[in-house]
Amino acid sequence: MNELDSIVDSARQAFSGAATPAELENAKALFVGKSGRITELMKGMAALSVDEKKTRGAAINLAKQAIEAALNARRQALADEELQVQLKAESLDVTLPGRKREPGGLHPVSLTMERIELIFASMGFDVADGPEIESDWHSFTSLNNPPNHPARSMQDTFYVDINGDDGIPYNLRPHTSPMQVRYAHAHIKKYAGRDMPEIRVIAPGRTYRVDSDATHSPMFHQCEGLWLGENVSFKDLKVVFTDFCRTFFESDDLALRFRPSFFPFTEPSAEIDIQFQSGPLAGRWLEVAGSGQVHPAVVRNMGLDPEKYIGFAFGMGPDRLTMLRYGVNDLRLYFDGDVRFLSQFR
Ligand code: PHE
């Protein structure tokens, strides 16, 4: 093999041994770079005669062309390899099914709240909203539950790091009952100087207590009810609440029991139990609300004369009602946000 052929040959070998474009460019420099072997041969022609230059030059050029052809082929091969690797890494499976947008729906407790509002609205009740961060006076004192009264410990509360005018910290309301006094005040103000209609309102919303297990959550829901007028009796409470429960559960033979109890803000007081006559819960008494005749001290704190105004209040648990209506056995499911649970209520 002559010198030129052997240079071409070793260039081909060096190029095919280059695994990356950078290695290939280094190999190229050895042959056709500024001080590459072909370049050196060209420089060496200066001393030759004109005829020798012609033949020698043509031969070197052929070798150079062969080297450049090999170089370009290898460049193309490396670029192809790189493209294949990239295509593989970014591959898309166009046969995968697309992502569907499922229709949304209301949370089961929201469905219950809507249902409660609808039923009570049909009985002439207003629906009111109130603050979750509440003053001590509204949560307790106005409800005939003064500081240091032992009944407060039944509602062990979350306190907020803000003091009220009385120097007592605000609390996350442990029940919706503060809305009784708040709504009465707003009602009186609204009808100032005019004939004041009876107070008939429900107040649904979030409430907070130090409680956490399968049937209690530190954040839960309540719905307060208040009917106050000149001639509203315990009989009206029984009628209204029985009517509500039978409509809510779509069951005409649902039984109700008013079991004597104690709340500082009602006298007399009763827990309300219900009993299904059929279905999986048939025969069991299930507690759904606290209730009673509004205590005269509370009527006075509303700014009304307890000799003139009388009525009842109740507080029920929409979370509990939702569990009973749909057969949910663990309250915590409401707050997990698991679509397998939630989508069943769509
Ligand atoms: N606030 C009471 C509770 O949370 C329920 C209740 C409301 C009782 C209204 C009587 C009247 O337990």
Side-chain angles (χ1 to χ4, degrees):
M1 197 187 292
N2 70 32
E3 191 197 6
L4 283 173
D5 286 345
S6 95
I7 292 177
V8 171
D9 210 52
S10 47
R12 286 201 177 111
Q13 274 177 29
F15 295 162
S16 63
T20 65
E23 274 178 43
L24 183 60
E25 294 317 308
N26 286 340
K28 169 196 160 186
L30 295 179
F31 298 95
V32 289
K34 260 185 204 144
S35 50
R37 290 173 68 181
I38 294 292
T39 320
E40 293 299 328
L41 289 180
M42 297 251 210
K43 283 179 195 161
M45 289 199 316
L48 300 179
S49 69
V50 176
D51 273 356
E52 280 172 324
K53 272 184 185 158
K54 260 192 192 156
T55 41
R56 181 73 176 150
I60 295 176
N61 261 333
L62 277 178
K64 193 180 175 191
Q65 280 164 17
I67 290 172
E68 275 168 352
L71 178 69
N72 286 332
R74 186 63 188 147
R75 272 195 186 131
Q76 189 59 49
L78 286 178
D80 285 350
E81 266 174 38
E82 198 172 271
L83 184 65
Q84 287 310 318
V85 170
Q86 193 182 351
L87 284 177
K88 216 170 164 184
E90 295 173 2
S91 71
L92 273 183
D93 182 353
V94 293
T95 65
L96 277 177
R99 265 179 232 167
K100 271 186 284 175
R101 217 175 245 266
E102 298 281 343
L106 287 182
H107 189 279
V109 176
S110 301
L111 292 174
T112 294
M113 291 294 210
E114 279 197 343
R115 202 170 160 77
I116 292 171
E117 289 173 20
L118 219 62
I119 297 170
F120 277 100
S122 80
M123 294 194 272
F125 281 72
D126 192 9
V127 178
D129 226 352
E132 291 169 33
I133 298 176
E134 190 52 284
S135 70
D136 190 84
W137 189 81
H138 284 98
S139 278
F140 301 109
T141 310
S142 72
L143 295 168
N144 199 32
N145 196 349
N148 304 320
H149 192 285
R152 283 193 175 205
S153 64
M154 298 194 317
Q155 302 191 334
D156 210 356
T157 323
F158 292 106
Y159 284 91
V160 177
D161 201 9
I162 309 168
N163 278 0
D165 294 339
D166 51 7
I168 308 177
Y170 276 83
N171 57 79
L172 296 183
R173 62 179 182 186
H175 54 181
T176 44
S177 298
M179 280 304 289
Q180 292 184 30
V181 177
R182 277 190 180 277
Y183 186 84
H185 283 163
H187 189 80
I188 293 165
K189 205 169 155 190
K190 181 173 172 188
Y191 291 100
R194 289 187 281 160
D195 265 359
M196 189 182 85
E198 290 189 327
I199 293 174
R200 218 184 293 171
V201 66
I202 60 164
R206 293 192 193 93
T207 46
Y208 304 83
R209 286 187 204 175
V210 182
D211 242 348
S212 187
D213 60 39
T215 54
H216 295 88
S217 151
M219 188 286 291
F220 61 107
H221 298 88
Q222 277 200 347
C223 181
E224 197 76 6
L226 174 69
W227 186 355
L228 208 65
E230 294 184 18
N231 193 18
V232 183
S233 74
F234 219 91
K235 178 189 70 190
D236 297 306
L237 166 63
K238 286 193 159 189
V239 169
V240 164
F241 211 82
T242 302
D243 209 30
F244 162 72
C245 288
R246 291 190 175 155
T247 310
F248 183 87
F249 288 108
E250 298 166 270
S251 162
D252 284 337
D253 55 2
L254 192 77
L256 274 82
R257 177 171 81 176
F258 290 74
R259 182 164 38 84
S261 184
F262 169 80
F263 299 101
F265 33 93
T266 47
E267 177 62 32
S269 304
E271 308 264 6
I272 308 176
D273 300 334
I274 61 169
Q275 186 193 53
F276 294 99
Q277 307 310 310
S278 56
L281 296 168
R284 276 169 55 192
W285 284 108
L286 309 155
E287 187 187 317
V288 292
S291 68
Q293 185 173 302
V294 181
H295 195 287
V298 177
V299 177
R300 213 171 291 122
N301 287 331
M302 290 170 175
L304 297 170
D305 178 3
E307 295 296 330
K308 185 173 173 194
Y309 288 94
I310 189 164
F312 64 80
F314 58 80
M316 60 180 153
D319 305 315
R320 195 83 207 287
L321 294 180
T322 310
M323 291 176 87
L324 295 174
R325 178 151 191 250
Y326 296 110
V328 177
N329 56 13
D330 193 329
L331 187 74
R332 290 168 292 203
L333 287 166
Y334 292 154
F335 310 116
D336 285 347
D338 188 332
V339 282
R340 289 170 303 178
F341 172 72
L342 297 174
S343 63
Q344 296 179 62
F345 301 93
R346 272 210 298 262

